[in-house]
């Protein structure tokens, strides 16, 4: 990395992968982020420096105050500060100024120092050339002898184009993840806080912002996401000056972060991507980033998961039978869910006792491992390593191993308590148990679950250790993966409550939701796909009568939903009719035929009538595409509407085939891409609760 141009003219122009950052960078001065957004190839930092000049406004400071990397209190900038720290009430007015800037083709590091408080802040910016996604983070170091109490540090204070006042946020609940909500920002603040001790169902640490008229393919937009699996705060402030300023960072608990001399705190990374062609490109850039940098795409085996078939009612014979049926319909991996260990006959006991239950499995689980191998299935095993039931051998032996606040009653939740991963003995124990079982049983895949919020994350000394807990979790997963080469890990937390880029830096897919109701699932998938690509999203065919919503659906509908994702199934296959198993098997075969495309292609949300929900996946060369249309309610008109495809090459002719449900299998002939996108294809008359799937192939 070389010293930057800043040395010469006090400005930095940093562009890569279609993204442009322009900053002021005068040594001993504050650093101003002048522009962050889609690349404007003829523009440079000098343009923005001059364009950002403002005159004195009556009632305001004599010299208008510019934004800076942390909008620290000492600067007087009118947004909430991005840095809050003090030394028992002293040294609270910071103003970090540039010491040094270093830049390479795809990364930039800015070292700043706050002389009054003796704190240094190092900002790193990395632009992924493949996707244009910017990853930035800040490291605060205490340079003084007295301890520094850090209360808040945003990864970066980002100036946002002031016309982007339309916020799309993602809120949810168990079995109802990633519901998209629209808010128009007025003067004031939009703040989302998560104090659940995990990424959580309630508010996802990611937002899209657009103009009032931004659509899927037009208008300015930006997406932000904080890669952190613990407590978070995201805010967007619409200031009296007319500016928009955004922050995201870890929500620190009281007294959680005290830095002694020389100690540092690193914020979680903030991910940003911009678009001047609507929301669609944001999604595709984030998908490219996740595939390229976090969860490289490998062939994703079709799952069978035992949970809804047996819950805690295990027996060797049941598992053998389910494995046979799963293999028959085309499963490639069998995941044995909760209930195989200790005294875990229901959710009140045994959690934490990671030894195979010898009442249920007197000969261990080797029989299953061997049977799966003979069927050509990979063996996946469920763990919930971070938790313990008080009614367990582990807790009886080590009651001090749980997170707790002295003198405060634990909050009851699913009869379990969180273990303190900041203790070496706890991590050592978990590492030994998981690695030895994994090796012994030839486990290729771990479903890593986490089923409660952590409200009182007190460590051994009684202090809040939420930050350290998350780092310890990441470290433990990495250690296990290093000890078991090739191990694939799924992140599950009561469904999709841990689906952020922090956990995905260490795991390979997420369990999207416990709700496998095919009618509800399309909305959960659509919401989640704003940040995660389909290959990372577990999408399972459920039982005929959904266990969560009690609604009933035929197999065509259930299976049609799951084809677009990392496909799996989770039901008692012995209760499905032979006819339904045949349909399921056809759906799995169809998924396998188009799996590479679904798992690597560009994702498009279609604009449709309200009663239909449509998405598509288009190959990067635009010669191959599949589209899925969920018809959810009766068509309000005599004839259904036409559907406008997206992402195609307008000049290419495509052969279209309807490939699901099978009864509607038919070829329509070839059409111009432009006609398919602008005029659209007439939908057939179907009942509601039908998934229609079309395959489009370049004809020449
Ligand atoms: C919650 C998960 O979301 C389910 O899939 C299942 O693994 C249960 N936990 C098991 O306790």
């Amino acid at each position: 990395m070389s010293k930057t141009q800043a040395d010469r003219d006090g400005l930095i122009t940093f562009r890569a992968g279609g993204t442009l950052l322009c900053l002021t960078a005068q040594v001993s001065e504050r650093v101003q982020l002048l522009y962050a957004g889609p690349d404007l190839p003829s523009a440079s930092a000098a343009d923005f420096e001059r364009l950002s000049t403002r005159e004195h406004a009556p009632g305001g400071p004599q010299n208008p105050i510019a934004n800076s990397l942390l909008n620290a209190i000492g600067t007087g900038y009118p947004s909430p500060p991005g840095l809050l720290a003090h030394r028992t009430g002293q040294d609270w007015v910071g103003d970090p100024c540039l010491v040094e800037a270093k830049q390479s083709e795809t990364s930039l590091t800015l070292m700043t120092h706050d002389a009054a408080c003796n704190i240094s802040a190092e900002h790193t910016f990395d632009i992924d050339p493949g996707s244009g996604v910017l990853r930035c983070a800040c490291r605060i170091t205490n340079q003084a002898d007295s301890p520094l109490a850090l209360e808040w540090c945003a990864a970066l204070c980002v100036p946002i184009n002031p016309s982007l006042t339309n916020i799309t946020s993602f809120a949810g609940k168990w079995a109802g993840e990633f519901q998209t909500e629209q808010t128009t920002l007025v003067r004031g603040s939009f703040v989302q806080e998560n104090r659940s001790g995990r990424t959580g169902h309630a508010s996802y640490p990611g937002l899209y912002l657009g103009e009032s008229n931004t659509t899927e393919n037009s208008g300015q937009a930006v997406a932000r996401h904080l890669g952190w699996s613990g407590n978070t705060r995201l805010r967007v402030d619409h200031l009296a000056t007319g500016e928009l300023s955004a922050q995201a960072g870890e929500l620190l608990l009281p007294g959680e972060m005290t830095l002694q001399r020389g100690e540092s705190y690193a914020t979680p990374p903030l991910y940003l991507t911009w678009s001047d062609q609507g929301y669609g490109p944001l999604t595709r850039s984030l998908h490219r980033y996740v595939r390229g940098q976090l969860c490289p795409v490998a062939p994703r085996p079709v799952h069978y998961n035992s949970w809804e078939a047996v819950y805690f009612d295990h027996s060797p014979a049941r598992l053998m039978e389910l494995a046979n049926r799963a293999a028959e319909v085309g499963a490639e991996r069998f995941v044995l869910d909760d209930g195989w260990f200790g005294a875990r006959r229901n959710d009140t006991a045994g959690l934490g006792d990671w030894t195979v239950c010898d009442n249920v499995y007197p000969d261990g689980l080797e029989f299953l491992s061997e049977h799966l191998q003979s069927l050509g299935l990979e063996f996946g095993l469920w763990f919930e390593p971070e938790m313990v039931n008080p009614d367990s051998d582990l807790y009886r032996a080590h009651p001090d191993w749980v997170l707790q606040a002295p003198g405060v009653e634990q909050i009851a939740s699913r009869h379990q308590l969180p273990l303190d991963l900041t203790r070496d003995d706890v991590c050592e124990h978990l590492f030994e148990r998981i690695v030895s079982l994994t090796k012994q049983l030839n486990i290729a895949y771990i479903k890593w679950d986490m089923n409660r919020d952590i409200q009182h994350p007190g460590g051994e000394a009684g202090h809040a250790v939420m930050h350290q807990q998350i780092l310890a979790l990441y470290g433990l997963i990495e250690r296990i993966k290093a000890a078991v080469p090739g191990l694939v890990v799924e992140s599950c937390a009561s469904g999709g409550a841990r689906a952020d880029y922090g956990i995905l830096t260490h795991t390979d897919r997420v369990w999207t939701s416990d709700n496998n109701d095919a009618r509800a699932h399309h909305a959960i998938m659509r919401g989640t796909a704003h940040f995660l690509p389909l290959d990372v999203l577990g999408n399972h065919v459920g039982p005929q009568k959904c266990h969560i919503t009690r609604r009933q659906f035929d197999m065509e509908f259930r299976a049609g939903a799951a084809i677009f994702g990392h496909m799996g199934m989770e039901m008692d296959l012995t209760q499905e009719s032979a006819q339904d198993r045949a349909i399921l098997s056809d759906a799995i075969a169809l998924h396998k035929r188009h799996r590479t495309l679904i798992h690597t292609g560009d994702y498009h949300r279609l604009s449709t009538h309200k009663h239909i929900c449509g998405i598509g996946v288009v190959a990067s060369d635009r010669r191959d595409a599949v589209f899925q249309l969920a018809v959810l309610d009766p068509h309000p008109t005599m004839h259904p509407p036409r559907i406008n495809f997206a992402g195609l090459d307008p000049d290419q002719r495509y052969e279209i085939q309807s490939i699901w449900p099978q009864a509607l299998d038919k070829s329509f002939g070839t059409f111009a891409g432009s006609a398919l996108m602008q005029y659209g294809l007439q939908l057939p008359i179907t009942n509601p609760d039908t998934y229609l799937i079309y395959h489009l192939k370049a004809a020449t």
Side-chain angles (χ1 to χ4, degrees):
M1 211 182 264
S2 64
K3 283 204 177 174
T4 166
Q5 200 187 348
D7 297 341
R8 296 191 293 278
D9 61 9
L11 291 169
I12 293 175
T13 302
F14 174 33
R15 45 169 50 99
T19 295
L20 173 64
L21 292 189
C22 293
L23 306 99
T24 65
Q26 201 74 253
V27 171
S28 302
E29 301 284 333
R30 292 169 199 156
V31 178
Q32 182 186 0
L33 185 50
L34 294 161
Y35 174 86
D39 196 359
L40 306 170
S42 56
S44 70
D47 293 317
F48 297 107
E49 189 193 29
R50 283 187 293 133
L51 288 167
S52 65
T53 317
R54 292 170 298 168
E55 62 190 320
H56 162 68
Q62 275 164 245
N63 300 312
I65 299 169
N67 65 287
S68 50
L69 300 179
L70 287 171
N71 291 339
I73 295 182
T75 68
Y77 188 73
S79 80
L83 175 67
L84 286 173
H86 63 96
R87 295 185 167 81
T88 49
Q90 301 293 314
D91 292 352
W92 54 280
V93 186
D95 185 3
C97 292
L98 187 69
V99 176
E100 191 181 25
K102 288 181 182 173
Q103 190 175 0
S104 74
E105 229 166 86
T106 58
S107 85
L108 169 69
T109 305
L110 299 174
M111 279 297 313
T112 58
H113 184 252
D114 170 17
C117 304
N118 210 357
I119 300 170
S120 68
E122 181 184 270
H123 276 91
T124 49
F125 302 82
D126 295 287
I127 300 177
D128 170 39
S131 63
V133 170
L134 169 72
R135 178 189 191 274
C136 55
C138 174
R139 174 181 290 276
I140 295 290
T141 305
N142 180 13
Q143 308 282 12
D145 286 335
S146 50
L148 181 78
L150 185 68
E151 293 177 354
W152 168 246
C153 183
L156 178 71
C157 292
V158 191
I160 303 278
N161 173 344
S163 63
L164 304 190
T165 49
N166 273 41
I167 297 181
T168 306
S169 56
F170 304 86
K173 59 169 193 162
W174 171 72
E177 290 83 348
F178 281 88
Q179 298 162 32
T180 50
E181 293 188 341
Q182 312 284 344
T183 314
T184 302
L185 191 62
V186 290
R187 211 75 74 74
S189 304
F190 174 91
V191 183
Q192 269 192 331
E193 289 193 348
N194 162 40
R195 295 170 182 271
S196 68
R198 54 181 179 170
T199 322
H201 286 112
S203 61
Y204 187 70
L207 296 175
Y208 276 31
L209 288 100
E211 299 172 291
S212 57
N213 55 358
T214 296
T215 65
E216 271 305 288
N217 48 29
S218 73
Q220 301 280 336
V222 57
R224 331 158 39 214
H225 169 68
L226 189 76
W228 188 243
S229 315
N231 295 336
T232 52
R233 181 186 290 125
L234 261 65
R235 60 181 311 138
V236 186
D237 298 289
H238 194 181
L239 309 178
T241 55
E243 292 158 286
L244 278 192
S245 173
Q247 294 180 30
E250 180 180 10
L251 187 154
L252 295 167
L253 293 168
E256 175 162 14
M257 196 53 62
T258 303
L259 302 177
Q260 305 299 330
R261 185 189 178 88
E263 285 183 347
S264 297
Y265 165 80
T267 68
L270 172 66
Y271 299 87
L272 288 153
T273 185
W274 294 265
S275 157
D276 49 16
Q277 286 163 47
Y279 296 119
L282 300 178
T283 303
R284 292 187 282 280
S285 297
L286 293 171
H287 287 188
R288 268 196 288 284
Y289 185 82
V290 172
R291 286 170 173 163
Q293 301 299 317
L294 305 181
C295 309
V297 188
R300 304 257 182 188
V302 172
H303 276 202
Y304 176 81
N305 181 292
S306 68
W307 178 237
E308 293 206 3
V310 300
Y311 291 107
F312 294 104
D313 189 13
H314 286 217
S315 81
R318 285 280 281 141
L319 297 191
M320 298 287 271
E321 177 62 9
L322 290 170
N324 292 341
R325 292 284 169 95
E328 270 164 32
V329 295
E332 298 160 313
R333 179 184 279 153
F334 183 99
V335 181
L336 179 59
D337 212 283
D338 198 352
W340 55 268
F341 50 88
R344 186 78 166 168
R345 303 282 58 80
N346 54 52
D347 66 9
T348 64
L351 191 60
D353 294 339
W354 302 115
T355 47
V356 178
C357 172
D358 49 11
N359 286 337
V360 180
Y361 301 113
D363 300 321
L365 280 172
E366 278 76 2
F367 78 92
L368 184 61
S369 178
E370 283 155 23
H371 188 59
L372 294 176
Q373 213 167 351
S374 73
L375 293 171
L377 298 183
E378 272 185 17
F379 191 2
L381 195 59
W382 181 95
F383 287 92
E384 192 176 357
E386 297 149 80
M387 296 287 162
V388 65
N389 282 131
D391 183 1
S392 66
D393 293 342
L394 185 74
Y395 186 78
R396 280 183 281 277
H398 302 286
D400 53 328
W401 276 15
V402 297
L403 290 170
Q404 52 200 314
V408 178
E409 201 177 321
Q410 292 278 19
I411 307 288
S413 190
R414 214 193 182 205
H415 318 282
Q416 61 191 55
L417 295 171
L419 289 169
D420 181 356
L421 300 191
T422 71
R423 293 176 62 121
D424 289 345
D425 45 7
V426 172
C427 280
E428 217 35 64
H429 169 78
L430 293 171
F431 175 79
E432 186 284 320
R433 283 291 67 223
I434 295 170
V435 169
S436 65
L437 276 158
T438 300
K439 289 188 170 165
Q440 181 187 328
L441 295 171
N442 205 12
I443 301 296
Y445 182 90
I446 286 181
K447 177 174 176 180
W448 187 297
D449 205 347
M450 196 284 203
N451 284 307
R452 66 158 292 168
D453 289 348
I454 306 181
Q455 291 92 348
H456 302 157
E460 274 178 283
H463 300 147
V465 292
M466 200 62 242
H467 175 78
Q468 296 303 340
Q469 174 84 357
I470 300 298
L471 293 183
L473 164 71
Y474 293 163
L476 178 60
I477 298 173
E478 281 305 318
R479 251 187 98 195
I480 293 169
K481 280 186 141 187
V484 188
L487 184 70
V488 177
V489 180
E490 166 180 335
S491 170
C492 170
S494 318
R498 196 148 70 185
D500 65 276
Y501 290 9
I503 198 72
L504 280 170
T505 307
H506 309 283
T507 57
D508 307 281
R509 85 157 203 171
V510 298
W511 177 222
T512 318
S513 178
D514 282 352
N515 188 352
N516 54 26
D517 173 318
R519 200 179 154 81
H521 210 245
H522 79 93
I524 297 173
M525 289 291 289
R526 194 179 170 97
T528 318
H530 280 83
F531 295 91
L532 302 178
L534 294 179
D535 42 299
V536 167
L537 300 179
N539 191 353
H540 293 182
V541 183
Q544 186 172 37
K545 185 168 187 175
C546 173
H547 293 186
I548 307 279
T549 62
R550 314 307 294 168
R551 292 196 290 213
Q552 302 214 43
F553 300 108
D554 63 31
M555 180 56 90
E556 266 104 351
F557 187 60
R558 286 182 276 153
I563 289 169
F564 278 65
H566 179 189
M567 190 175 185
M569 68 206 105
E570 186 159 341
M571 84 278 268
D572 185 349
L573 281 169
T574 64
Q575 296 301 304
E576 299 286 331
S577 67
Q579 194 191 352
D580 280 353
R581 277 185 282 123
I583 296 171
L584 177 59
S585 169
D586 288 343
I588 291 172
L590 185 71
H591 170 78
K592 287 178 181 169
R593 265 201 301 288
H594 298 286
R595 169 163 54 188
T596 306
L597 172 60
I598 293 169
H599 289 180
T600 60
D602 287 336
Y603 178 93
H604 291 267
R605 284 178 287 270
L606 302 186
S607 301
T608 56
H609 290 242
K610 274 202 182 95
H611 65 295
I612 301 172
C613 178
I615 58 161
V617 181
V618 182
S620 56
D621 63 3
R622 296 189 291 175
R623 297 186 59 78
D624 200 11
V626 277
F627 289 85
Q628 182 201 47
L629 294 153
V631 180
L632 299 168
D633 285 307
H635 296 296
T637 49
M638 279 169 64
H639 291 283
R642 283 192 300 268
I643 202 78
N644 298 91
F645 295 101
L648 304 175
D649 177 350
D651 302 326
Q652 178 61 256
R653 290 192 74 78
Y654 292 89
E655 190 181 334
I656 300 197
Q657 180 137 10
S658 159
I659 55 175
W660 195 262
Q662 290 147 312
L664 298 180
D665 244 350
K666 101 173 206 201
S667 175
F668 292 85
T670 65
F671 302 89
S674 55
L676 291 170
M677 292 192 288
Q678 302 304 327
Y679 186 84
L681 179 78
Q682 175 64 50
L683 288 183
I685 298 174
T686 58
N687 293 326
D689 297 339
T690 301
Y691 273 100
L692 298 164
I693 302 180
Y694 294 94
H695 180 216
L696 280 69
K697 197 144 190 63
T700 48

